[in-house]
Amino acid sequence: MMFLQAIFLFSLLISSSHASDLDFCVADPTLPVGPAGYSCKKVSSVTEKDFVYSLGTPGNTSNIIKAAVTPAFAPTFPGINGLGVSIARLDLAVDGVIPMHTHPGASEILVVIEGQLCAGFISSLDNIVYFKTLFKGDVMVFPQGLLHFQFNSGKVQAIAYVSFGSAYPGLQITDYAFFKNDLPTEIVAKTTFLDVAQIKKLKGVLGGKN
């Protein structure tokens, strides 16, 4: 029994010692990026600034979707590297929209800071739609990998913060996937049942070819 207790205490000491070496891995963008993320900056050069980032500046909503996403990911927020979380700010002008999209690498949680949003997602089983109008202080969660959207359904600028359960949530915007590439229009029409003229128009707006 005494032997087992000694082994247990020793393992705790080893675990604690190991954990202290892995408290964090502040990103060093000058070093190679691997499957686990950015390489670690030397601890001796880490400062408190690596763990602080400002999302207080509004994003530029002068674009086709009248919305802006300001991410706080490892390249700009090095202290978040390797911690399995990330965050971003959403700014949506009146009629602004974050188009239907998916994050294959993470679930998402959104909190409305100002204004109102209509937000929702579509389940992969039976394509059931879950959507709701959200007001200041409301929170909504979007399961990993499912198509979802947000748009400003009010009459003033809307602001929200979204956080992810991964430092690398990934992003694929459905409209861009279909119409901002060189996939031939005939194939898009065949696989989506959309009208060829409409596809060409959308490709022209979003920068696609063929």
CSV table of all heavy atoms in Angstrom, one decimal, residues 48-106:
chain,number,residue,atom,x,y,z
A,48,GLU,N,3.2,40.4,-20.8
A,48,GLU,CA,1.7,40.5,-20.5
A,48,GLU,C,1.0,40.9,-21.8
A,48,GLU,O,-0.2,40.6,-22.0
A,48,GLU,CB,1.4,41.4,-19.4
A,48,GLU,CG,1.6,42.9,-19.6
A,48,GLU,CD,3.1,43.3,-19.5
A,48,GLU,OE1,3.9,42.5,-19.2
A,48,GLU,OE2,3.3,44.5,-19.8
A,49,LYS,N,1.7,41.7,-22.7
A,49,LYS,CA,1.0,42.1,-23.9
A,49,LYS,C,0.6,41.0,-24.8
A,49,LYS,O,-0.3,41.1,-25.6
A,49,LYS,CB,2.0,43.1,-24.7
A,49,LYS,CG,2.3,44.4,-23.9
A,49,LYS,CD,3.2,45.3,-24.7
A,49,LYS,CE,3.5,46.6,-24.0
A,49,LYS,NZ,4.5,47.4,-24.8
A,50,ASP,N,1.3,39.8,-24.7
A,50,ASP,CA,1.0,38.7,-25.5
A,50,ASP,C,-0.4,38.1,-25.2
A,50,ASP,O,-1.0,37.4,-26.0
A,50,ASP,CB,2.0,37.6,-25.4
A,50,ASP,CG,3.3,38.0,-26.0
A,50,ASP,OD1,3.4,38.5,-27.1
A,50,ASP,OD2,4.4,37.8,-25.3
A,51,PHE,N,-0.9,38.4,-24.0
A,51,PHE,CA,-2.2,37.8,-23.5
A,51,PHE,C,-3.3,38.9,-23.5
A,51,PHE,O,-4.4,38.6,-23.0
A,51,PHE,CB,-2.0,37.3,-22.1
A,51,PHE,CG,-0.9,36.3,-22.0
A,51,PHE,CD1,0.4,36.6,-21.5
A,51,PHE,CD2,-1.1,35.0,-22.4
A,51,PHE,CE1,1.4,35.6,-21.4
A,51,PHE,CE2,-0.1,34.0,-22.3
A,51,PHE,CZ,1.1,34.3,-21.8
A,52,VAL,N,-3.1,40.0,-24.1
A,52,VAL,CA,-4.1,41.0,-24.2
A,52,VAL,C,-4.3,41.5,-25.6
A,52,VAL,O,-3.3,41.6,-26.4
A,52,VAL,CB,-3.7,42.3,-23.3
A,52,VAL,CG1,-4.7,43.4,-23.4
A,52,VAL,CG2,-3.5,41.9,-21.9
A,53,TYR,N,-5.5,41.7,-26.0
A,53,TYR,CA,-5.9,42.1,-27.4
A,53,TYR,C,-7.1,42.9,-27.4
A,53,TYR,O,-8.0,42.7,-26.6
A,53,TYR,CB,-6.1,40.9,-28.3
A,53,TYR,CG,-6.2,41.2,-29.8
A,53,TYR,CD1,-5.0,41.5,-30.5
A,53,TYR,CD2,-7.4,41.2,-30.4
A,53,TYR,CE1,-5.1,41.8,-31.9
A,53,TYR,CE2,-7.5,41.5,-31.8
A,53,TYR,CZ,-6.4,41.8,-32.5
A,53,TYR,OH,-6.4,42.1,-33.8
A,54,SER,N,-7.2,44.0,-28.2
A,54,SER,CA,-8.3,44.9,-28.2
A,54,SER,C,-9.3,44.6,-29.4
A,54,SER,O,-8.8,44.5,-30.5
A,54,SER,CB,-7.9,46.3,-28.3
A,54,SER,OG,-9.0,47.2,-28.4
A,55,LEU,N,-10.5,44.4,-29.1
A,55,LEU,CA,-11.6,44.3,-30.1
A,55,LEU,C,-12.5,45.5,-30.0
A,55,LEU,O,-13.7,45.5,-30.4
A,55,LEU,CB,-12.4,43.0,-29.9
A,55,LEU,CG,-11.6,41.7,-30.3
A,55,LEU,CD1,-12.5,40.5,-29.9
A,55,LEU,CD2,-11.3,41.7,-31.7
A,56,GLY,N,-12.0,46.6,-29.5
A,56,GLY,CA,-12.8,47.8,-29.3
A,56,GLY,C,-13.0,48.7,-30.6
A,56,GLY,O,-13.8,49.5,-30.6
A,57,THR,N,-12.2,48.4,-31.6
A,57,THR,CA,-12.3,49.2,-32.8
A,57,THR,C,-13.3,48.6,-33.8
A,57,THR,O,-13.2,47.4,-34.1
A,57,THR,CB,-10.9,49.3,-33.5
A,57,THR,OG1,-10.0,49.9,-32.6
A,57,THR,CG2,-11.0,50.2,-34.8
A,58,PRO,N,-14.3,49.4,-34.2
A,58,PRO,CA,-15.3,48.9,-35.1
A,58,PRO,C,-14.7,48.4,-36.5
A,58,PRO,O,-13.7,49.1,-37.0
A,58,PRO,CB,-16.2,50.1,-35.4
A,58,PRO,CG,-16.0,51.0,-34.2
A,58,PRO,CD,-14.6,50.8,-33.8
A,59,GLY,N,-15.2,47.4,-37.0
A,59,GLY,CA,-14.8,46.9,-38.3
A,59,GLY,C,-15.4,47.7,-39.4
A,59,GLY,O,-16.4,48.5,-39.2
A,60,ASN,N,-14.8,47.7,-40.6
A,60,ASN,CA,-15.2,48.4,-41.8
A,60,ASN,C,-16.4,47.7,-42.5
A,60,ASN,O,-16.2,46.6,-43.0
A,60,ASN,CB,-14.1,48.6,-42.8
A,60,ASN,CG,-14.5,49.4,-44.0
A,60,ASN,OD1,-15.6,50.0,-44.1
A,60,ASN,ND2,-13.6,49.6,-44.9
A,61,THR,N,-17.6,48.3,-42.4
A,61,THR,CA,-18.8,47.6,-43.0
A,61,THR,C,-19.1,48.1,-44.4
A,61,THR,O,-20.2,47.9,-44.9
A,61,THR,CB,-20.0,47.8,-42.0
A,61,THR,OG1,-20.2,49.2,-41.8
A,61,THR,CG2,-19.7,47.1,-40.7
A,62,SER,N,-18.2,48.9,-45.0
A,62,SER,CA,-18.4,49.4,-46.3
A,62,SER,C,-18.0,48.3,-47.4
A,62,SER,O,-17.0,48.4,-48.0
A,62,SER,CB,-17.6,50.7,-46.5
A,62,SER,OG,-17.9,51.7,-45.6
A,63,ASN,N,-18.8,47.3,-47.5
A,63,ASN,CA,-18.6,46.2,-48.4
A,63,ASN,C,-19.9,45.6,-48.8
A,63,ASN,O,-21.0,46.1,-48.4
A,63,ASN,CB,-17.7,45.2,-47.8
A,63,ASN,CG,-18.2,44.7,-46.4
A,63,ASN,OD1,-19.3,44.2,-46.3
A,63,ASN,ND2,-17.4,44.9,-45.4
A,64,ILE,N,-19.8,44.6,-49.6
A,64,ILE,CA,-21.0,44.0,-50.2
A,64,ILE,C,-22.0,43.4,-49.2
A,64,ILE,O,-23.2,43.4,-49.4
A,64,ILE,CB,-20.7,42.9,-51.3
A,64,ILE,CG1,-21.9,42.5,-52.1
A,64,ILE,CG2,-20.0,41.8,-50.7
A,64,ILE,CD1,-21.6,41.6,-53.3
A,65,ILE,N,-21.5,42.9,-48.1
A,65,ILE,CA,-22.3,42.3,-47.1
A,65,ILE,C,-22.6,43.3,-45.9
A,65,ILE,O,-23.4,42.9,-45.0
A,65,ILE,CB,-21.7,41.0,-46.5
A,65,ILE,CG1,-20.4,41.3,-45.8
A,65,ILE,CG2,-21.5,40.0,-47.6
A,65,ILE,CD1,-19.8,40.1,-45.1
A,66,LYS,N,-22.1,44.5,-46.0
A,66,LYS,CA,-22.3,45.5,-45.0
A,66,LYS,C,-22.0,45.0,-43.6
A,66,LYS,O,-22.7,45.3,-42.6
A,66,LYS,CB,-23.8,46.0,-45.0
A,66,LYS,CG,-24.1,46.7,-46.4
A,66,LYS,CD,-25.6,47.2,-46.3
A,66,LYS,CE,-25.9,47.8,-47.7
A,66,LYS,NZ,-27.4,48.3,-47.7
A,67,ALA,N,-21.0,44.2,-43.5
A,67,ALA,CA,-20.6,43.6,-42.2
A,67,ALA,C,-19.1,43.4,-42.2
A,67,ALA,O,-18.4,43.4,-43.2
A,67,ALA,CB,-21.3,42.3,-42.0
A,68,ALA,N,-18.5,43.3,-41.0
A,68,ALA,CA,-17.1,43.1,-40.8
A,68,ALA,C,-16.9,42.1,-39.6
A,68,ALA,O,-17.6,42.1,-38.6
A,68,ALA,CB,-16.4,44.4,-40.5
A,69,VAL,N,-15.9,41.3,-39.8
A,69,VAL,CA,-15.5,40.3,-38.8
A,69,VAL,C,-14.0,40.7,-38.4
A,69,VAL,O,-13.1,40.7,-39.3
A,69,VAL,CB,-15.5,38.9,-39.3
A,69,VAL,CG1,-15.1,37.9,-38.2
A,69,VAL,CG2,-17.0,38.5,-39.7
A,70,THR,N,-13.8,40.9,-37.1
A,70,THR,CA,-12.5,41.2,-36.6
A,70,THR,C,-12.0,40.1,-35.7
A,70,THR,O,-12.5,40.0,-34.6
A,70,THR,CB,-12.4,42.6,-35.8
A,70,THR,OG1,-13.0,43.6,-36.6
A,70,THR,CG2,-11.0,42.9,-35.5
A,71,PRO,N,-11.2,39.2,-36.2
A,71,PRO,CA,-10.8,38.0,-35.4
A,71,PRO,C,-9.7,38.3,-34.4
A,71,PRO,O,-8.8,39.1,-34.7
A,71,PRO,CB,-10.4,37.0,-36.5
A,71,PRO,CG,-9.8,37.9,-37.6
A,71,PRO,CD,-10.6,39.1,-37.6
A,72,ALA,N,-9.7,37.6,-33.3
A,72,ALA,CA,-8.6,37.6,-32.4
A,72,ALA,C,-8.1,36.2,-32.4
A,72,ALA,O,-8.4,35.4,-31.5
A,72,ALA,CB,-9.1,38.0,-31.0
A,73,PHE,N,-7.3,35.8,-33.4
A,73,PHE,CA,-6.7,34.5,-33.5
A,73,PHE,C,-5.2,34.6,-33.3
A,73,PHE,O,-4.6,35.7,-33.2
A,73,PHE,CB,-7.0,34.0,-34.9
A,73,PHE,CG,-8.5,33.7,-35.2
A,73,PHE,CD1,-9.0,33.4,-36.4
A,73,PHE,CD2,-9.4,33.7,-34.1
A,73,PHE,CE1,-10.3,33.1,-36.7
A,73,PHE,CE2,-10.8,33.5,-34.3
A,73,PHE,CZ,-11.2,33.2,-35.6
A,74,ALA,N,-4.5,33.5,-33.3
A,74,ALA,CA,-3.1,33.4,-33.0
A,74,ALA,C,-2.2,34.4,-33.7
A,74,ALA,O,-1.3,34.9,-33.1
A,74,ALA,CB,-2.6,32.0,-33.1
A,75,PRO,N,-2.4,34.6,-35.0
A,75,PRO,CA,-1.5,35.5,-35.7
A,75,PRO,C,-1.4,36.9,-35.1
A,75,PRO,O,-0.4,37.5,-35.2
A,75,PRO,CB,-2.0,35.5,-37.1
A,75,PRO,CG,-2.7,34.2,-37.3
A,75,PRO,CD,-3.3,33.9,-35.9
A,76,THR,N,-2.6,37.4,-34.6
A,76,THR,CA,-2.6,38.7,-34.1
A,76,THR,C,-2.7,38.7,-32.5
A,76,THR,O,-2.5,39.7,-31.9
A,76,THR,CB,-3.8,39.5,-34.7
A,76,THR,OG1,-5.0,38.8,-34.5
A,76,THR,CG2,-3.6,39.8,-36.1
A,77,PHE,N,-3.1,37.6,-32.0
A,77,PHE,CA,-3.3,37.5,-30.5
A,77,PHE,C,-2.5,36.3,-30.1
A,77,PHE,O,-3.1,35.2,-29.8
A,77,PHE,CB,-4.8,37.3,-30.2
A,77,PHE,CG,-5.2,37.3,-28.8
A,77,PHE,CD1,-4.3,37.8,-27.8
A,77,PHE,CD2,-6.5,36.9,-28.4
A,77,PHE,CE1,-4.7,37.8,-26.5
A,77,PHE,CE2,-6.9,37.0,-27.1
A,77,PHE,CZ,-6.0,37.4,-26.1
A,78,PRO,N,-1.2,36.4,-30.0
A,78,PRO,CA,-0.3,35.3,-29.8
A,78,PRO,C,-0.5,34.4,-28.5
A,78,PRO,O,-0.3,33.2,-28.5
A,78,PRO,CB,1.1,35.9,-29.8
A,78,PRO,CG,0.9,37.3,-29.5
A,78,PRO,CD,-0.4,37.7,-30.1
A,79,GLY,N,-1.0,35.1,-27.5
A,79,GLY,CA,-1.3,34.3,-26.2
A,79,GLY,C,-2.3,33.3,-26.3
A,79,GLY,O,-2.4,32.4,-25.5
A,80,ILE,N,-3.2,33.4,-27.3
A,80,ILE,CA,-4.3,32.4,-27.5
A,80,ILE,C,-3.8,31.1,-28.1
A,80,ILE,O,-4.5,30.1,-28.1
A,80,ILE,CB,-5.4,33.1,-28.3
A,80,ILE,CG1,-6.8,32.6,-27.8
A,80,ILE,CG2,-5.2,32.8,-29.8
A,80,ILE,CD1,-7.9,33.4,-28.4
A,81,ASN,N,-2.6,31.1,-28.7
A,81,ASN,CA,-2.1,29.9,-29.4
A,81,ASN,C,-2.1,28.7,-28.5
A,81,ASN,O,-1.6,28.7,-27.3
A,81,ASN,CB,-0.7,30.2,-29.9
A,81,ASN,CG,-0.1,29.1,-30.7
A,81,ASN,OD1,-0.7,28.7,-31.7
A,81,ASN,ND2,1.1,28.6,-30.4
A,82,GLY,N,-2.6,27.6,-29.0
A,82,GLY,CA,-2.6,26.3,-28.2
A,82,GLY,C,-3.6,26.2,-27.1
A,82,GLY,O,-3.6,25.1,-26.5
A,83,LEU,N,-4.4,27.2,-26.8
A,83,LEU,CA,-5.3,27.1,-25.7
A,83,LEU,C,-6.7,26.6,-26.1
A,83,LEU,O,-7.5,26.3,-25.2
A,83,LEU,CB,-5.5,28.5,-25.1
A,83,LEU,CG,-4.2,29.1,-24.5
A,83,LEU,CD1,-4.5,30.4,-23.8
A,83,LEU,CD2,-3.5,28.2,-23.5
A,84,GLY,N,-6.9,26.4,-27.4
A,84,GLY,CA,-8.2,25.7,-27.8
A,84,GLY,C,-9.4,26.7,-27.8
A,84,GLY,O,-10.5,26.2,-27.8
A,85,VAL,N,-9.2,28.0,-27.8
A,85,VAL,CA,-10.3,28.9,-27.8
A,85,VAL,C,-9.9,30.1,-28.7
A,85,VAL,O,-8.7,30.3,-29.0
A,85,VAL,CB,-10.6,29.5,-26.4
A,85,VAL,CG1,-11.2,28.4,-25.5
A,85,VAL,CG2,-9.4,30.2,-25.8
A,86,SER,N,-10.9,30.9,-29.2
A,86,SER,CA,-10.6,32.1,-30.0
A,86,SER,C,-11.9,32.9,-29.9
A,86,SER,O,-12.9,32.5,-29.5
A,86,SER,CB,-10.2,31.8,-31.4
A,86,SER,OG,-11.1,30.9,-32.0
A,87,ILE,N,-11.8,34.2,-30.4
A,87,ILE,CA,-12.9,35.1,-30.3
A,87,ILE,C,-12.8,36.1,-31.5
A,87,ILE,O,-11.7,36.3,-32.1
A,87,ILE,CB,-12.9,35.8,-29.0
A,87,ILE,CG1,-14.2,36.6,-28.7
A,87,ILE,CG2,-11.7,36.7,-28.8
A,87,ILE,CD1,-14.3,37.1,-27.3
A,88,ALA,N,-13.9,36.7,-31.8
A,88,ALA,CA,-14.0,37.6,-32.9
A,88,ALA,C,-15.1,38.6,-32.6
A,88,ALA,O,-16.0,38.4,-31.9
A,88,ALA,CB,-14.2,37.0,-34.3
A,89,ARG,N,-15.0,39.8,-33.2
A,89,ARG,CA,-16.0,40.8,-33.2
A,89,ARG,C,-16.8,40.9,-34.5
A,89,ARG,O,-16.2,40.8,-35.6
A,89,ARG,CB,-15.4,42.2,-32.8
A,89,ARG,CG,-16.3,43.4,-33.0
A,89,ARG,CD,-15.6,44.7,-32.6
A,89,ARG,NE,-16.5,45.8,-32.9
A,89,ARG,CZ,-16.6,46.9,-32.2
A,89,ARG,NH1,-15.8,47.1,-31.2
A,89,ARG,NH2,-17.4,47.9,-32.6
A,90,LEU,N,-18.1,41.0,-34.4
A,90,LEU,CA,-18.9,41.2,-35.6
A,90,LEU,C,-19.5,42.6,-35.5
A,90,LEU,O,-20.1,43.0,-34.5
A,90,LEU,CB,-20.1,40.2,-35.6
A,90,LEU,CG,-19.8,38.7,-35.5
A,90,LEU,CD1,-21.0,37.9,-35.7
A,90,LEU,CD2,-18.7,38.3,-36.6
A,91,ASP,N,-19.3,43.4,-36.6
A,91,ASP,CA,-20.0,44.7,-36.8
A,91,ASP,C,-20.9,44.5,-38.0
A,91,ASP,O,-20.5,44.1,-39.1
A,91,ASP,CB,-19.0,45.8,-37.1
A,91,ASP,CG,-18.2,46.1,-35.8
A,91,ASP,OD1,-18.7,46.8,-35.0
A,91,ASP,OD2,-17.1,45.6,-35.7
A,92,LEU,N,-22.2,44.9,-37.8
A,92,LEU,CA,-23.2,44.8,-38.9
A,92,LEU,C,-23.9,46.1,-39.0
A,92,LEU,O,-24.6,46.5,-38.1
A,92,LEU,CB,-24.1,43.6,-38.7
A,92,LEU,CG,-23.6,42.2,-38.7
A,92,LEU,CD1,-23.3,41.8,-37.3
A,92,LEU,CD2,-24.5,41.2,-39.3
A,93,ALA,N,-23.7,46.8,-40.2
A,93,ALA,CA,-24.5,48.0,-40.5
A,93,ALA,C,-26.0,47.5,-40.7
A,93,ALA,O,-26.3,46.4,-40.7
A,93,ALA,CB,-24.0,48.7,-41.7
A,94,VAL,N,-26.8,48.5,-40.8
A,94,VAL,CA,-28.2,48.2,-41.1
A,94,VAL,C,-28.3,47.4,-42.4
A,94,VAL,O,-27.6,47.8,-43.4
A,94,VAL,CB,-29.1,49.5,-41.2
A,94,VAL,CG1,-30.5,49.2,-41.6
A,94,VAL,CG2,-29.0,50.3,-39.9
A,95,ASP,N,-29.0,46.3,-42.4
A,95,ASP,CA,-29.1,45.4,-43.5
A,95,ASP,C,-27.9,44.5,-43.7
A,95,ASP,O,-27.7,43.8,-44.7
A,95,ASP,CB,-29.5,46.1,-44.8
A,95,ASP,CG,-30.9,46.7,-44.8
A,95,ASP,OD1,-31.8,46.1,-44.1
A,95,ASP,OD2,-31.1,47.8,-45.4
A,96,GLY,N,-26.9,44.6,-42.8
A,96,GLY,CA,-25.7,43.8,-42.9
A,96,GLY,C,-26.0,42.4,-42.6
A,96,GLY,O,-26.9,42.0,-41.8
A,97,VAL,N,-25.2,41.5,-43.2
A,97,VAL,CA,-25.4,40.1,-43.1
A,97,VAL,C,-24.1,39.3,-43.1
A,97,VAL,O,-23.1,39.7,-43.8
A,97,VAL,CB,-26.3,39.6,-44.3
A,97,VAL,CG1,-25.6,39.9,-45.6
A,97,VAL,CG2,-26.5,38.1,-44.2
A,98,ILE,N,-24.0,38.3,-42.2
A,98,ILE,CA,-22.9,37.3,-42.2
A,98,ILE,C,-23.5,36.2,-43.0
A,98,ILE,O,-24.4,35.5,-42.4
A,98,ILE,CB,-22.5,36.9,-40.8
A,98,ILE,CG1,-22.0,38.1,-40.0
A,98,ILE,CG2,-21.3,35.9,-40.9
A,98,ILE,CD1,-20.8,38.9,-40.5
A,99,PRO,N,-23.2,35.9,-44.2
A,99,PRO,CA,-23.9,34.9,-45.0
A,99,PRO,C,-23.8,33.5,-44.5
A,99,PRO,O,-23.0,33.2,-43.6
A,99,PRO,CB,-23.1,35.0,-46.4
A,99,PRO,CG,-22.4,36.3,-46.4
A,99,PRO,CD,-22.1,36.6,-45.0
A,100,MET,N,-24.6,32.6,-45.0
A,100,MET,CA,-24.6,31.2,-44.6
A,100,MET,C,-23.2,30.7,-44.7
A,100,MET,O,-22.5,30.8,-45.7
A,100,MET,CB,-25.5,30.4,-45.5
A,100,MET,CG,-25.9,29.1,-44.9
A,100,MET,SD,-27.1,29.2,-43.6
A,100,MET,CE,-28.6,29.6,-44.5
A,101,HIS,N,-22.7,30.1,-43.5
A,101,HIS,CA,-21.3,29.6,-43.5
A,101,HIS,C,-21.2,28.5,-42.5
A,101,HIS,O,-22.2,28.2,-41.7
A,101,HIS,CB,-20.4,30.7,-43.2
A,101,HIS,CG,-20.6,31.3,-41.8
A,101,HIS,ND1,-21.6,32.2,-41.5
A,101,HIS,CD2,-19.9,31.2,-40.7
A,101,HIS,CE1,-21.5,32.6,-40.3
A,101,HIS,NE2,-20.5,32.0,-39.7
A,102,THR,N,-20.0,27.9,-42.4
A,102,THR,CA,-19.8,26.8,-41.5
A,102,THR,C,-18.4,26.9,-40.9
A,102,THR,O,-17.5,27.5,-41.6
A,102,THR,CB,-20.0,25.5,-42.1
A,102,THR,OG1,-19.8,24.4,-41.1
A,102,THR,CG2,-19.1,25.2,-43.3
A,103,HIS,N,-18.2,26.5,-39.7
A,103,HIS,CA,-16.9,26.4,-39.1
A,103,HIS,C,-16.6,24.9,-38.8
A,103,HIS,O,-17.2,24.3,-37.8
A,103,HIS,CB,-16.8,27.1,-37.7
A,103,HIS,CG,-17.2,28.6,-37.9
A,103,HIS,ND1,-16.3,29.5,-38.5
A,103,HIS,CD2,-18.2,29.3,-37.5
A,103,HIS,CE1,-16.9,30.7,-38.5
A,103,HIS,NE2,-18.0,30.6,-37.9
A,104,PRO,N,-15.9,24.2,-39.7
A,104,PRO,CA,-15.7,22.8,-39.5
A,104,PRO,C,-14.9,22.4,-38.3
A,104,PRO,O,-15.0,21.2,-37.9
A,104,PRO,CB,-14.9,22.4,-40.8
A,104,PRO,CG,-14.3,23.7,-41.3
A,104,PRO,CD,-15.3,24.8,-40.9
A,105,GLY,N,-14.2,23.3,-37.7
A,105,GLY,CA,-13.3,23.0,-36.6
A,105,GLY,C,-13.8,23.3,-35.2
A,105,GLY,O,-13.1,23.1,-34.2
A,106,ALA,N,-15.0,23.9,-35.1
A,106,ALA,CA,-15.4,24.4,-33.7
A,106,ALA,C,-16.8,24.8,-33.7
A,106,ALA,O,-17.5,25.2,-34.6
A,106,ALA,CB,-14.5,25.6,-33.3
